[in-house]
Coordinates of all heavy atoms in Angstrom, one line a residue:
S1155 N -48.9 -27.5 8.9 CA -50.0 -26.5 8.9 C -49.7 -25.2 9.5 O -50.5 -24.4 9.8 CB -51.2 -27.2 9.5 OG -50.9 -28.2 10.4
F1156 N -48.4 -25.1 9.9 CA -48.0 -23.9 10.5 C -47.3 -22.9 9.6 O -46.1 -23.1 9.3 CB -47.1 -24.1 11.7 CG -47.9 -24.8 12.9 CD1 -48.0 -26.1 12.9 CD2 -48.4 -24.0 13.9 CE1 -48.8 -26.7 13.9 CE2 -49.2 -24.6 14.9 CZ -49.3 -25.9 14.9
N1157 N -48.0 -22.0 9.0 CA -47.4 -21.0 8.1 C -46.9 -19.9 9.0 O -47.0 -19.9 10.2 CB -48.4 -20.5 7.1 CG -49.6 -19.9 7.7 OD1 -49.6 -19.6 8.9 ND2 -50.7 -19.9 6.9
F1158 N -46.3 -18.9 8.3 CA -45.6 -17.9 9.1 C -46.6 -17.1 10.0 O -46.3 -16.9 11.2 CB -45.0 -16.9 8.1 CG -44.1 -15.9 8.8 CD1 -42.9 -16.3 9.4 CD2 -44.4 -14.5 8.9 CE1 -42.1 -15.4 10.1 CE2 -43.6 -13.7 9.6 CZ -42.5 -14.1 10.2
A1159 N -47.8 -16.8 9.5 CA -48.7 -16.0 10.3 C -49.1 -16.8 11.5 O -49.2 -16.3 12.7 CB -50.0 -15.7 9.5
R1160 N -49.4 -18.1 11.3 CA -49.8 -18.9 12.5 C -48.7 -19.1 13.5 O -49.0 -19.1 14.7 CB -50.2 -20.3 11.9 CG -51.0 -21.1 12.9 CD -51.8 -22.2 12.3 NE -52.3 -23.0 13.4 CZ -52.9 -24.2 13.3 NH1 -53.1 -24.6 12.0 NH2 -53.3 -24.9 14.3
L1161 N -47.5 -19.2 13.0 CA -46.3 -19.3 13.9 C -46.2 -18.0 14.7 O -45.9 -18.0 15.9 CB -45.0 -19.6 13.2 CG -44.9 -21.0 12.7 CD1 -43.7 -21.2 11.8 CD2 -44.7 -21.9 13.9
V1162 N -46.4 -16.8 14.1 CA -46.3 -15.5 14.8 C -47.4 -15.5 15.9 O -47.1 -15.2 17.1 CB -46.5 -14.3 13.9 CG1 -46.7 -13.1 14.6 CG2 -45.4 -14.2 12.9
R1163 N -48.6 -15.9 15.6 CA -49.7 -16.0 16.6 C -49.3 -16.9 17.8 O -49.5 -16.6 18.9 CB -50.8 -16.7 15.8 CG -52.3 -16.3 15.9 CD -52.7 -14.9 15.9 NE -53.1 -14.5 17.3 CZ -53.1 -13.3 17.7 NH1 -52.7 -12.3 16.9 NH2 -53.4 -13.0 18.9
F1164 N -48.7 -18.0 17.4 CA -48.3 -19.0 18.4 C -47.2 -18.4 19.3 O -47.3 -18.6 20.5 CB -47.8 -20.2 17.6 CG -47.4 -21.4 18.4 CD1 -48.3 -22.0 19.2 CD2 -46.0 -21.9 18.4 CE1 -47.9 -23.1 20.0 CE2 -45.7 -22.9 19.2 CZ -46.6 -23.6 20.0
A1165 N -46.3 -17.7 18.7 CA -45.2 -17.1 19.4 C -45.8 -16.1 20.4 O -45.4 -16.0 21.6 CB -44.1 -16.5 18.5
L1166 N -46.7 -15.3 19.9 CA -47.3 -14.2 20.8 C -48.1 -14.9 21.9 O -48.0 -14.5 23.1 CB -48.3 -13.4 20.0 CG -47.8 -12.2 19.2 CD1 -48.9 -11.5 18.5 CD2 -47.0 -11.3 20.1
D1167 N -48.8 -16.0 21.7 CA -49.4 -16.7 22.7 C -48.4 -17.2 23.8 O -48.6 -17.0 25.0 CB -50.1 -18.0 22.2 CG -51.6 -17.7 21.8 OD1 -52.1 -16.7 22.2 OD2 -52.1 -18.5 21.0

Side-chain angles (χ1 to χ4, degrees):
S1155 26
F1156 290 86
N1157 57 20
F1158 189 68
R1160 194 163 171 186
L1161 282 170
V1162 169
R1163 222 40 257 153
F1164 183 63
L1166 275 183
D1167 270 344

